[in-house]
Amino acid sequence: MAFIKLIDPELRKYVSSNRLPEVYEALLSGLAIMCPEDPFQFIIDSLRYLKENGFENLTWDMFIDEQMRPPSKIISQRSLCSIFEADGFDSVGPEQYEKAYAHYNRTLLLKALNALLTYRLYRQEKRHWLQVNMERAEQHHILKNCKRVFETWKKWLDFRKGRQAVAFNQLQHIYFVYISRTVFDAWHEVTQTSKKTREYFERLARGENFDEEEEEHGFDDGEARDEISRLPNKVAVKIFSYVDICELAQCSRVCRSWKMLTQSTALLSRLNLTGVKSRLTDKIAAKLLLTCRPYLVHCNLRGCNQIGFDTFSALRECPNMQDLNLSEVQSLNDDLCKMITDGCRSLLYLNLSCTKITDATLCNISINLNNLQYLSLMNCLKFTDRGLGYLATGKGAKQLAYLDLSYCQQITAVGYQKLVEGCRGLQHLVLDDQFTLDDSCVQHIAANCPKLQSLSLYGSPNPSDETFKRLAANKRLICLKVDNNHKITDYSIKALGKCCSELRYLSLVDCPNITDGSLKAIMSCPLTVLNLSDCVRITDSGVKYLMEGTCGHRLQELSLTNCIRLTDLSLVIIQKRARNLAYFSLCFCSNVTEAGLELLGQIHSLASLDISGCRGTDQNLSAIGGSARLRMLSVSQCPSLGDLGLQKFAQQCAYLERLDISHCKLITDGAIKSLAFCCRLLMHLNVAGCKLLTDLSIQYLSGVCRYLSFLDISGCSLITDRSLKYLKDGCHSLSTLVILYCSGISKAGVLKIAKSFSVVQHSDEPVPDAFRY
């Protein structure tokens, strides 16, 4: 169709006005899509349709069936232009020009807007960049100023540190000089004392005699200063709080300063008259109580049998009284108790043990003492179940937390039921030596006391496994004490271990049915105290279960007395696991050998050890001395123990306070000499049955051991009356002296020194067979 480019312009105008390109496009599209069998006839029919209907509705797909119409043109505009749009041939209409113009304007507008947006973004980014740079500049300026200030401050600090270092060195030098002088003075004093002690022992060995004055003042440093008056008042009052009432009265006569200290309200708030009960009269007690009346809070009158109406009248005038101990006061009756309950309504702690009170007293207590928390009725045999009913119905029944009913065998199950129905707040209950106590009584307690934390059943053999299962249901149980019970088995202990997750104190003394299964059951409990004395079925496996549990490193007190099946393996496990063990008893464990006992010296936390009746030797005792914290030791009935072991032990344990070497028949005066020289803080000593000891041993002890308060020399037949004189002159703190079966000590000599000591036990009978001489 190239000839169209050469036709007359009039013809081209005709082609354009009659829309021949669109007609051509419509016909060609119809032929291409419809593919008619007779194309000529299809063209003729299509043209006829256009002639009849005109060109108003002409479209490129009008000759294509609606089902076969494609979504877009199949003939491009470029092809049509190549055919119909020759040079100078204008096939574009005004509408298309208008669209093209609008498109061109829109394109220019978009370009302008894009350029404007780009420019604004550039300006915004530039402003942000300038702001960031300004902030950096300001920060740099601030850091530069801070650096300048910091450098100035550092120079000043270095200067101050230098001055302080110089001052510290000077103060440290002064301090070290002061400490050195103090240490040197203390060392000098110790060396002087040791020198005098050594000279004292040497003179004793030479057999020289001492005048009383030399013995009494042999260790005086020649200075007569009152050190207590120079102490702070609080410290001085604390010192005076450790002396009894008679010594306090004597101290008040020393000087004015001591008199003021002894009249401190802190001392007047506590009154302990038990130590002078043999000399205390009703008049003196009443006078003391009236003097302390405004301040008195704690009063102990235990065993003061000479007090009467005047004393209790004075007690009634003490409104601030909170703690009162009237145990073993035989003159106490219901009328006198009524006076106390009427006057001392603030009482929190009341001890009426071993008195003759009846139901009337318990009734008065329930009415007047609404704040009472602690009550002891141990060995009070005259009250009945009715009295416990009165106590349970009082206003203060809910406040009662501690109750001791030991030895009160007159109480029945009805009494216990009345008690626990009213006193549901009980936390600590003591029912020792209750031979009539049966399962029903304890089950009432378990069912009605949900806050019960501690229960003591020493000497109560009747409770069975079912009772302890009921107790185990109380998950707050912390302490359980059982003694001489042949009915309790592993079943009870398993229930306790499963339910009582807070159990810390467990005592199962003389319970022969307890086996290793019980120890396996309680291995996860947080036990700190465990007493398995006389549980003869316990073996090494049970100890292994116990130590490998969580309670192994928590145990602080463990008693395995007379557990005859234990061997050295148990001690190996205890030595490895028991890191906090402080009190350990292994008496009469016959299968433990010397090798096992030697391991005890590696338990460095030990403060008390009892290996009486074991195969202890000198080497074992020397190894045990390696426990620096050891304060109490019992090696009674160790026949192989001699002087060498005790001497090595004494050299390592300078702070030993209690020692029992009774029936160690190889001990002589030489061992006691080393003991007295090294262990000067000794307070309790038992050498009963040490038949080789003589008066020289007592002379050693009396010359050095100023704090000795208990001494047992029973069966020492070589000791004579001279020893009593040494003890009287040297051991001023001695309060209890046991001299049974001492054939060398006469009754007349005992009578001479009886007033110097609080308790003196003497017997001139022959030595019994139990001493095995």
Side-chain angles (χ1 to χ4, degrees):
M1 301 184 103
F3 70 94
I4 295 179
K5 299 179 179 179
L6 304 176
I7 62 175
D8 189 4
E10 292 294 333
L11 181 60
R12 282 191 291 176
K13 185 177 179 181
Y14 174 79
V15 170
S16 176
S17 61
N18 289 285
R19 302 176 65 179
L20 292 183
E22 287 87 341
V23 173
Y24 177 80
E25 182 182 12
L27 291 174
L28 191 62
S29 296
L31 290 171
I33 297 301
M34 298 298 294
C35 299
E37 294 179 358
D38 188 357
F40 295 103
Q41 186 63 36
F42 177 79
I43 293 172
I44 294 171
D45 293 338
S46 299
L47 291 175
R48 188 179 293 115
Y49 176 80
L50 287 175
K51 184 178 180 180
E52 294 175 356
N53 297 299
F55 299 97
E56 287 80 7
N57 297 323
L58 179 64
T59 59
W60 68 273
D61 57 353
M62 66 180 300
F63 300 122
I64 303 173
D65 292 343
E66 189 173 355
Q67 296 84 0
M68 301 177 67
R69 287 179 183 175
S72 60
K73 294 180 179 182
I74 61 174
I75 298 175
S76 64
Q77 190 70 21
R78 186 182 183 89
S79 300
L80 293 177
C81 292
S82 62
I83 297 174
F84 291 100
E85 294 182 3
D87 294 340
F89 185 78
D90 188 8
S91 62
V92 180
E95 293 85 1
Q96 292 177 340
Y97 280 111
E98 185 177 358
K99 289 181 181 180
Y101 181 75
H103 174 72
Y104 179 73
N105 286 340
R106 187 165 57 253
T107 303
L108 289 179
L109 181 61
L110 288 175
K111 288 182 179 180
L113 289 176
N114 287 333
L116 179 62
L117 180 61
T118 303
Y119 176 74
R120 289 184 64 84
L121 291 175
Y122 168 74
R123 291 291 303 272
Q124 185 176 0
E125 184 177 357
K126 187 176 181 180
R127 284 196 301 269
H128 176 70
W129 179 79
L130 290 174
Q131 184 178 1
V132 171
N133 287 341
M134 286 299 296
E135 290 177 355
R136 290 180 179 176
E138 291 177 0
Q139 187 176 7
H140 176 72
H141 179 69
I142 293 172
L143 290 176
K144 189 174 181 180
N145 290 338
C146 290
K147 181 179 179 182
R148 188 183 303 110
V149 174
F150 180 76
E151 290 176 351
T152 305
W153 172 80
K154 189 174 184 301
K155 292 179 181 179
W156 176 84
L157 184 63
D158 293 339
F159 172 75
R160 294 292 298 174
K161 282 186 176 181
R163 295 290 301 274
Q164 289 178 359
V166 173
F168 175 77
N169 292 332
Q170 293 177 352
L171 291 174
Q172 191 177 37
H173 175 71
I174 296 171
Y175 174 75
F176 286 152
V177 171
Y178 173 77
I179 292 296
S180 300
R181 288 179 179 176
T182 304
V183 172
F184 181 79
D185 292 341
W187 171 80
H188 179 71
E189 184 178 354
V190 171
T191 54
Q192 291 296 322
T193 305
S194 300
K195 181 180 178 182
K196 292 179 181 179
T197 304
R198 191 178 296 107
E199 292 175 355
Y200 175 77
F201 286 159
E202 290 175 356
R203 294 172 68 185
L204 287 178
R206 291 194 298 268
E208 298 180 9
N209 295 325
F210 295 89
D211 296 331
E212 285 191 15
E213 186 175 357
E214 290 180 354
E215 290 185 5
E216 185 175 356
H217 303 288
F219 298 95
D220 191 10
D221 59 358
E223 298 182 1
R225 296 181 299 174
D226 180 12
E227 299 292 344
I228 294 181
S229 298
R230 298 181 182 181
L231 295 173
N233 287 343
K234 188 175 181 179
V235 179
V237 169
K238 185 67 175 179
I239 293 174
F240 281 118
S241 66
Y242 291 102
V243 301
D244 59 28
I245 189 67
C246 290
E247 295 173 345
L248 198 64
Q250 294 174 0
C251 292
S252 65
R253 300 189 184 100
V254 173
C255 61
R256 292 181 180 179
S257 176
W258 282 29
K259 184 176 182 180
M260 293 177 62
L261 290 172
T262 55
Q263 292 177 352
S264 171
T265 56
L267 296 177
L268 296 178
S269 64
R270 293 179 176 270
L271 190 60
N272 187 0
L273 301 177
T274 303
V276 294
K277 59 185 178 181
S278 60
R279 294 175 286 171
L280 186 68
T281 62
D282 190 23
K283 185 176 180 180
I284 295 175
K287 185 177 179 180
L288 288 172
L289 289 171
L290 290 174
T291 302
C292 305
R293 177 181 56 187
Y295 316 104
L296 192 60
V297 178
H298 308 273
C299 183
N300 186 0
L301 295 171
R302 179 181 179 183
C304 299
N305 294 320
Q306 300 182 30
I307 61 176
F309 181 81
D310 293 341
T311 301
F312 289 101
S313 297
L315 279 173
R316 182 174 56 182
E317 302 298 327
C318 301
N320 298 320
M321 182 77 71
Q322 296 182 7
D323 184 1
L324 181 59
N325 188 348
L326 297 174
S327 59
E328 302 178 16
V329 178
Q330 300 301 321
S331 59
L332 185 65
N333 55 36
D334 292 336
D335 294 334
L336 297 178
C337 280
K338 188 176 186 305
M339 294 172 60
I340 296 172
T341 56
D342 289 342
C344 305
R345 293 179 178 266
S346 300
L347 275 176
L348 300 177
Y349 304 90
L350 180 60
N351 192 340
L352 300 176
S353 303
C354 305
T355 57
K356 300 177 182 179
I357 62 167
T358 64
D359 295 341
T361 296
L362 298 182
C363 182
N364 291 327
I365 290 174
S366 65
I367 295 173
N368 297 320
L369 304 182
N370 296 333
N371 298 317
L372 192 65
Q373 298 179 9
Y374 176 103
L375 178 62
S376 178
L377 300 175
M378 182 182 69
N379 204 20
C380 295
L381 306 178
K382 293 193 174 183
F383 71 89
T384 63
D385 296 342
R386 181 180 297 178
L388 291 181
Y390 292 150
L391 184 65
T393 56
K395 296 180 181 179
K398 295 182 180 180
Q399 302 293 332
L400 194 63
Y402 182 98
L403 182 61
D404 188 352
L405 297 175
S406 301
Y407 300 96
C408 299
Q409 300 179 12
Q410 73 276 14
I411 304 175
T412 65
V414 177
Y416 286 113
Q417 184 176 1
K418 291 180 180 179
L419 175 68
V420 297
E421 286 178 355
C423 303
R424 292 181 175 271
L426 277 175
Q427 298 178 12
H428 308 275
L429 187 58
V430 183
L431 302 175
D432 296 342
D433 292 283
Q434 294 276 20
F435 297 103
T436 60
L437 191 71
D438 56 9
D439 288 340
S440 61
C441 300
V442 184
Q443 289 175 11
H444 281 311
I445 295 170
N448 293 282
C449 296
K451 297 182 179 180
L452 190 65
Q453 297 180 2
S454 174
L455 180 62
S456 179
L457 297 174
Y458 281 149
S460 301
N462 295 323
S464 62
D465 283 340
E466 186 62 29
T467 297
F468 290 105
K469 181 182 178 182
R470 297 281 185 89
L471 285 172
N474 185 356
K475 298 182 180 181
R476 297 187 179 184
L477 196 64
I478 296 176
C479 174
L480 179 62
K481 302 176 183 179
V482 182
D483 177 26
N484 193 24
N485 191 318
H486 293 196
K487 296 183 179 181
I488 186 173
T489 63
D490 293 342
Y491 177 75
S492 300
I493 308 305
K494 289 179 181 178
L496 289 171
K498 182 178 180 181
C499 300
C500 301
S501 58
E502 298 181 2
L503 190 64
R504 292 183 176 86
Y505 190 113
L506 182 60
S507 179
L508 301 173
V509 179
D510 194 15
C511 298
N513 293 324
I514 298 299
T515 66
D516 296 339
S518 296
L519 300 187
K520 186 176 181 180
I522 60 175
M523 62 185 294
S524 59
C525 295
L527 287 172
T528 57
V529 178
L530 179 61
N531 190 348
L532 298 173
S533 300
D534 297 315
C535 294
V536 294
R537 299 178 66 182
I538 298 295
T539 65
D540 294 334
S541 299
V543 175
K544 184 178 180 181
Y545 289 141
L546 184 68
M547 289 295 112
E548 289 180 350
T550 56
C551 68
H553 65 278
R554 295 184 179 182
L555 271 179
Q556 299 177 10
E557 182 175 346
L558 177 62
S559 179
L560 299 174
T561 299
N562 201 29
C563 294
I564 56 178
R565 299 188 182 184
L566 298 182
T567 64
D568 294 344
L569 181 59
S570 295
L571 295 184
V572 172
I573 299 171
I574 291 173
Q575 182 266 329
K576 290 181 179 179
R577 298 285 297 175
R579 303 172 184 174
N580 298 315
L581 190 63
Y583 300 89
F584 186 37
S585 177
L586 199 67
C587 303
F588 305 105
C589 293
S590 55
N591 290 326
V592 176
T593 64
E594 300 174 10
L597 293 176
E598 197 164 346
L599 294 172
L600 296 176
Q602 301 178 21
I603 306 178
H604 301 293
S605 59
L606 276 180
S608 175
L609 177 63
D610 189 351
I611 55 172
S612 300
C614 295
R615 304 175 184 177
T617 62
D618 292 342
Q619 185 177 356
N620 298 145
L621 193 57
S622 177
I624 290 172
S627 298
R629 298 182 181 180
L630 197 63
R631 298 294 181 269
M632 295 176 281
L633 176 66
S634 178
V635 288
S636 177
Q637 301 183 30
C638 293
S640 302
L641 192 63
D643 289 352
L644 183 60
L646 187 57
Q647 288 172 355
K648 291 184 178 180
F649 171 80
Q651 292 171 3
Q652 299 177 78
C653 295
Y655 298 100
L656 191 69
E657 297 177 0
R658 300 171 67 93
L659 178 63
D660 185 357
I661 52 174
S662 57
H663 304 287
C664 296
K665 300 180 178 62
L666 301 180
I667 299 295
T668 65
D669 294 337
I672 302 300
K673 177 181 178 181
S674 299
L675 181 67
F677 183 78
C678 299
C679 304
R680 302 186 182 186
L681 301 178
L682 203 62
M683 301 172 61
H684 183 110
L685 179 61
N686 188 350
V687 292
C690 298
K691 60 182 180 179
L692 300 180
L693 299 184
T694 65
D695 292 334
L696 191 58
S697 295
I698 305 302
Q699 198 168 5
Y700 290 145
L701 294 171
S702 62
V704 180
C705 298
R706 303 295 184 182
Y707 302 103
L708 194 64
S709 61
F710 177 91
L711 179 62
D712 188 352
I713 54 175
S714 302
C716 299
S717 56
L718 299 180
I719 295 178
T720 65
D721 290 345
R722 290 180 58 191
S723 296
L724 300 182
K725 180 178 179 296
Y726 297 147
L727 292 173
K728 178 182 177 182
D729 296 338
C731 298
H732 300 292
S733 300
L734 191 63
S735 59
T736 303
L737 178 61
V738 183
I739 44 179
L740 304 176
Y741 320 122
C742 294
S743 57
I745 296 178
S746 63
K747 191 172 183 179
V750 175
L751 293 176
K752 289 182 180 179
I753 56 97
K755 294 183 179 180
S756 301
F757 309 118
S758 300
V759 179
V760 177
Q761 299 180 15
H762 173 256
S763 174
D764 53 2
E765 297 179 1
V767 179
D769 296 336
F771 280 62
R772 299 176 183 176
Y773 282 176

